[in-house]
Amino acid sequence: MNLLLDGIAWILDPANWTGVGSIPERIAQHLAISATVLVISALIALPIGTLVGHTGRGKELVVTVSGGLRALPTLGLLTLLALWLGIGLQAPIIALVVLALPPLLAGAYSGLESVDRRTVDAARAMGMREGQIIGKVEVPLGMPIIVGGIRSATLQIIATATLAAYIADDGLGRFIFAGLKTRDYAEMLGGSILVILLALAIDGLFAIIQRLVVPAGVRATRTRELRSRPPRPRAVVGRPITEGNPE
Amino acid sequence: MNTAGKGRLVALAAVAVGATVALAGCASGDPLDSGSSTDGASSETIVVGSQDYYSNEIIAEIYAQALEENGFTVDRQFRIGQREVYIPEIEAGEIDVFPEYTGNLLQYYVPDTTATTSDDVYAELETSLPEGLRVLDQSSATDQDSYNVTKEFSDANGVTSLADLAKVTTPLTLGGNSELETRPYGPEGLKSVYGVDVAFTPIEDSGGPLTLKALVDDQVQLVNIYSADPNIKANDLVTLEDPEGLFLASHVVPVVSEKVTDEIAEVINTVSDALTAEDLVALNALSVDEQQSADQIAKDWLAEKSLF
Amino acid sequence: MNWLWSNLDLVGELMLTHLALSVPAIILSFVISVPIGWIAHRYRWSRGVLLSLCGLLYAIPSLALLIALPIVTGQRTTSPINLVIALTLYGIAVIVRTAADAFDAVEPDVRQSATAIGYSAAGRFWGVELPLAGPVLLSGLRVVIVSTVSLATIGAVIGVQSLGSLFTDGLQRGIQAEIITGIVATMVLAIGLDWASVAIGRMLMPWWRPSAAERRRTLDRVERVDAA
């Protein structure tokens, strides 16, 4: 407990809030690298996930690949990339993108899949083109799960971006490494607390977004559905076991 | 169905608990956990530890094989992190023999020491160690912090010593482990002793390939690489002279516990006596360039020296 | 490749050490998460709090946790027990939500039928709810297996030996083959344990005959855990 207090005292020490490598600077770097990683990985994963979710094709492949990516140890990838690319942000950014891909992919395709096939058929019957079905029906309805994937990816990125400091002079991980190497545990714990707080804040933000993106029409029925589940599944085949409210 | 299912679940639970216990047992019987080595000074097992640094592991392996050749039983606990992790374990008596470096170890115990020559460092180290620990003879082999620049940089700026750096007009960045930033011989020491201003970039591989690449790519102009690193020679780096004695001399020295008897000490002192600075660089090169294992390198070296 | 052939012993040894670290953590996190998941399922009011708390364990940087834990547990920093505890906590973070979902997925009328034919609350849990939740629990377990095996490598940074030691050592010595071997060996372990868990699942749940479609759904479930 004492150490925890030391860590908090370290955070509150005004000396750590100014100068080179100050707390605000490190937080800004941490956010910048996290945002960069999130944007790159989202640009890769969301279109693929959307396409797979819409067509239902290539899912085995995507699931297998993202399972494989998940098994890739981030530290190993980081050290290997570092040997190739040297110090700087390239290696950590690539390693973190690989980390973020599986949850983003999963969120995107299961978000689209969670949409009732009858709704999609109805949209098609109304004469919507495939692009319109994706943009106007599937994505809005699947949005809570898609955002859930983004949320999960972001949490992992922020927590793991500390490893960037192993290779680059960047982010809140610097406090953890510097503290570890100089046995300044107050600094190390202070840095860790900052990472946790940052993750909490961002996660809270996503929780709010996740609520806001539920389409208004769906929101009303969703809450009711939660308690009075239909006694028997209507269409057993192809229906995920726990469909419905992602909360 | 009900009872059968229940039976299976009980079996599942039993398997789970059993496996956990068994594997937890494995985990604590892991080579890293020295719990078993402390029970009983009667057992003749000597625990040899090493840093999480390949060169240190080679030295530790040499100690271990030398001891085994002389009939002692050795328990190897290699690659246990950096000083801040393993020193408490040595102090707790978990490890009996550990290869260390005089200057770096002295700085651990006496951060503001003023000793720099090898004799001064060794003398002060002997009196600074906590109760129950002592150092045996120091080897002539050194592996100490040193500042290096590329050959091109040295030629272009006429720099061969740290003092020469003061006349370099372009901005300089020093690369090294993050702790270097606060060490007496870090940026502040360069400023106060040689009047050189440098920025600092932390690179956490202890002067390894990342540090080297950063130097070659000119991301940093000055790097801290251990003097026994074969990369200095392989990459034609220039190690800057240190006329004012900014760095502490740092010789290979074994730190030992009270369990180490005179016979054991004699074996290790023989090794230390035979290990030269050139040997250490050559051994490191075998590890880095030839990718040989510490075991192999140690075996070949001992055979070549035929000490026992 | 040269490196691999001359270090096969080391790799084998580290794989065993790695197993000894990750398997207890996987089993512990499963055994701990099932009751927590059941409570979150049974008592709605506790759900949000429990799931958020467990989820947030994931926000703790692993390095920081590894250093901070010994202070709490009184263990040595390099003690494998610390790493096992840390991995267990992360495992719980991953699996608790799935555990709650797994119990949610048991149809209410099945539960009521069980009560009607005379099951006690405990008997119903062991005889009905747990087996029916089994397939989803297994899918959550599979995610924990993969993430735990991969995460166990981090211990190498503070000196707990595992396949991660090949990363730190390979980086210092600049040997790419060593790092690649570490990555491949880690993935092999993860996939091997994953298969083993499915095999054990089949053995314990003989009624569970995943058809191709269902297998896909289970795989899907594994992925969905993230998004949920």
Side-chain angles (χ1 to χ4, degrees):
Chain A
M1 266 304 140
N2 264 342
L3 254 138
L4 193 62
L5 291 180
D6 287 350
I8 293 169
W10 178 87
I11 295 176
L12 296 179
D13 185 350
N16 294 324
W17 285 80
T18 52
V20 178
S22 63
I23 292 175
E25 190 187 335
R26 293 299 182 199
I27 291 179
Q29 288 174 344
H30 205 92
L31 284 174
I33 189 174
S34 303
T36 312
V37 169
L38 188 64
V39 168
I40 296 174
S41 48
L43 284 179
I44 300 169
L46 294 185
I48 298 176
T50 307
L51 213 63
V52 169
H54 176 70
T55 61
R57 275 187 213 134
K59 190 163 139 199
E60 295 269 8
L61 183 70
V62 168
V63 169
T64 312
V65 169
S66 59
L69 290 183
R70 207 191 289 274
L72 255 185
T74 307
L75 182 66
L77 193 60
L78 187 65
T79 47
L80 188 62
L81 288 167
L83 276 188
W84 291 336
L85 302 172
I87 61 165
L89 285 176
Q90 300 100 314
I93 284 180
I94 298 176
L96 289 170
V97 164
V98 169
L99 179 80
L101 287 179
L104 287 172
L105 275 172
Y109 75 67
S110 39
L112 261 72
E113 267 185 351
S114 73
V115 179
D116 196 322
R117 286 301 107 187
R118 287 168 300 186
T119 314
V120 177
D121 289 343
R124 201 166 281 136
M126 280 167 63
M128 281 192 178
R129 281 176 284 108
E130 293 305 300
Q132 285 177 311
I133 295 176
I134 296 178
K136 293 194 170 164
V137 179
E138 290 181 312
V139 169
L141 285 175
M143 198 48 107
I145 297 182
I146 299 175
V147 174
I150 300 174
R151 178 179 173 183
S152 166
T154 309
L155 198 61
Q156 286 184 38
I157 293 171
I158 291 179
T160 317
T162 47
L163 276 186
Y166 194 58
I167 303 298
D169 181 14
D170 199 271
L172 289 167
R174 278 270 34 106
F175 295 131
I176 299 178
F177 274 101
L180 179 66
K181 291 293 180 67
T182 54
R183 288 185 299 153
D184 186 346
Y185 290 149
E187 178 177 8
M188 208 195 63
L189 283 182
S192 312
I193 293 170
L194 287 174
V195 177
I196 296 169
L197 290 179
L198 195 63
L200 285 186
I202 305 280
D203 195 55
L205 202 65
F206 269 104
I208 295 169
I209 297 175
Q210 215 171 354
R211 247 163 239 280
L212 291 181
V213 296
V214 178
V218 179
R219 205 172 305 164
T221 52
R222 280 264 164 112
T223 38
R224 222 179 30 246
E225 202 182 38
L226 190 69
R227 282 192 183 254
S228 62
R229 223 173 252 284
R232 234 163 273 284
R234 278 164 303 234
V236 178
V237 178
R239 182 174 177 269
I241 301 167
T242 54
E243 205 170 56
N245 197 320
E247 286 297 299
Chain B
M1 161 74 209
N2 172 26
T3 45
K6 197 167 178 177
R8 271 190 207 97
L9 283 162
V10 171
L12 166 69
V15 168
V17 171
T20 310
V21 171
L23 280 157
C26 289
S28 55
D30 174 279
L32 266 170
D33 190 7
S34 56
S36 54
S37 64
T38 50
D39 52 30
S42 59
S43 73
E44 284 297 307
T45 305
I46 302 155
V47 184
V48 179
S50 95
Q51 294 179 353
D52 189 9
Y53 170 40
Y54 69 92
S55 172
N56 192 268
E57 186 185 353
I58 296 171
I59 302 170
E61 181 64 37
I62 293 177
Y63 291 165
Q65 289 186 15
L67 289 169
E68 282 169 344
E69 266 186 57
N70 286 277
F72 297 97
T73 313
V74 173
D75 174 11
R76 291 172 175 75
Q77 307 239 341
F78 289 173
R79 309 203 71 97
I80 17 185
Q82 306 292 331
R83 206 162 274 115
E84 52 281 355
V85 177
Y86 65 73
I87 289 280
E89 314 229 333
I90 303 179
E91 287 175 358
E94 305 273 355
I95 301 168
D96 303 315
V97 180
F98 203 107
E100 258 290 0
Y101 307 92
T102 52
N104 299 86
L105 185 60
L106 177 61
Q107 247 166 1
Y108 179 88
Y109 284 113
V110 191
D112 50 359
T113 179
T114 53
T116 55
T117 66
S118 59
D119 290 342
D120 288 354
V121 169
Y122 186 74
E124 191 177 351
L125 180 61
E126 279 185 307
T127 58
S128 312
L129 288 175
E131 194 78 13
L133 290 188
R134 64 190 172 113
V135 284
L136 302 181
D137 296 350
Q138 60 177 339
S139 162
S140 64
T142 57
D143 199 0
Q144 64 196 44
D145 296 273
S146 73
Y147 286 155
N148 298 269
V149 296
T150 58
K151 184 89 172 54
E152 299 78 65
F153 181 91
S154 170
D155 291 347
N157 296 283
V159 173
T160 54
S161 119
L162 291 172
D164 296 338
L165 283 175
K167 64 187 187 208
V168 177
T169 48
T170 51
L172 293 172
T173 304
L174 168 67
N177 277 6
S178 52
E179 64 266 31
L180 179 62
E181 191 169 10
T182 52
R183 288 280 152 84
Y185 50 86
E188 277 171 35
L190 273 175
K191 173 78 184 151
S192 61
V193 177
Y194 290 106
V196 179
D197 281 301
V198 292
F200 182 74
T201 294
I203 310 172
E204 306 288 356
D205 67 341
S206 311
L210 288 183
T211 311
L212 195 65
K213 189 162 160 44
L215 180 70
V216 174
D217 294 349
D218 204 33
Q219 285 174 296
V220 296
Q221 290 73 39
L222 186 66
V223 292
N224 181 14
I225 297 182
Y226 299 128
S227 54
D229 192 324
N231 278 322
I232 294 177
K233 206 172 165 197
N235 290 276
D236 220 4
L237 302 188
V238 177
T239 300
L240 300 182
E241 285 160 32
D242 178 21
E244 303 288 332
L246 179 63
F247 294 109
L248 287 74
S250 216
H251 289 260
V252 172
V253 73
V255 181
V256 300
S257 74
E258 281 169 336
K259 233 176 94 181
V260 170
T261 60
D262 288 348
E263 292 136 306
I264 299 172
E266 206 187 304
V267 172
I268 296 174
N269 280 339
T270 311
V271 169
S272 298
D273 188 43
L275 184 71
T276 66
E278 294 74 32
D279 282 350
L280 189 56
V281 179
L283 296 178
N284 289 348
L286 287 175
S287 175
V288 173
D289 300 333
E290 310 292 324
Q291 308 189 355
Q292 290 185 12
S293 66
D295 180 43
Q296 187 63 44
I297 297 170
K299 199 176 292 167
D300 294 347
W301 185 82
L302 281 168
E304 181 200 318
K305 297 276 171 176
S306 54
L307 299 173
F308 305 107
Chain C
M1 280 330 265
N2 192 11
W3 181 88
L4 178 59
W5 295 129
S6 48
N7 289 277
L8 275 178
D9 287 357
L10 175 70
V11 176
E13 201 177 294
L14 287 176
M15 280 179 98
L16 283 181
T17 314
H18 203 95
L19 268 182
L21 290 168
S22 35
V23 172
I26 291 165
I27 293 174
L28 280 174
S29 49
F30 184 73
V31 171
I32 295 171
S33 298
V34 168
I36 300 180
W38 185 81
I39 291 171
H41 149 78
R42 180 68 185 74
Y43 305 101
R44 280 250 156 235
W45 53 267
S46 71
R47 188 185 177 91
V49 180
L50 281 177
L51 296 193
S52 311
L53 275 182
C54 292
L56 285 175
L57 288 174
Y58 227 89
I60 306 174
S62 41
L63 270 179
L65 185 63
L66 287 174
I67 297 289
L69 263 182
I71 300 163
V72 181
T73 60
Q75 294 286 327
R76 297 178 303 135
T77 311
T78 56
S79 160
I81 293 171
N82 282 316
L83 190 60
V84 171
I85 295 175
L87 291 175
T88 304
L89 290 176
Y90 287 120
I92 292 173
V94 173
I95 202 181
V96 157
R97 188 180 290 272
T98 322
D101 285 352
F103 288 110
D104 287 349
V106 178
E107 298 289 344
D109 44 358
V110 170
R111 202 175 292 124
Q112 283 161 9
S113 312
T115 312
I117 60 171
Y119 271 99
S120 66
R124 194 182 65 190
F125 174 80
W126 289 107
V128 178
E129 293 181 79
L130 189 56
L132 286 179
V136 181
L137 284 177
L138 177 63
S139 69
L141 180 66
R142 296 176 63 186
V143 181
V144 173
I145 287 174
V146 173
S147 63
T148 303
V149 170
S150 153
L151 199 59
T153 56
I154 301 275
V157 177
I158 55 149
V160 180
Q161 293 262 39
S162 71
L163 285 169
S165 308
L166 299 178
F167 304 154
T168 49
D169 187 58
L171 180 62
Q172 282 174 9
R173 295 163 69 187
I175 303 177
Q176 289 181 17
E178 184 172 2
I179 300 178
I180 294 172
T181 304
I183 293 176
V184 173
T186 309
M187 294 179 76
V188 166
L189 272 192
I191 293 165
L193 284 179
D194 182 49
W195 282 351
S197 72
V198 173
I200 295 175
R202 289 227 176 109
M203 202 177 71
L204 294 170
M205 303 183 290
W207 67 89
W208 176 58
R209 282 272 171 271
S211 62
E214 250 179 304
R215 246 202 315 277
R216 222 178 0 255
R217 200 190 302 156
T218 310
L219 278 173
D220 179 31
R221 178 74 233 169
V222 173
E223 290 305 309
R224 280 174 60 107
V225 168
D226 276 314

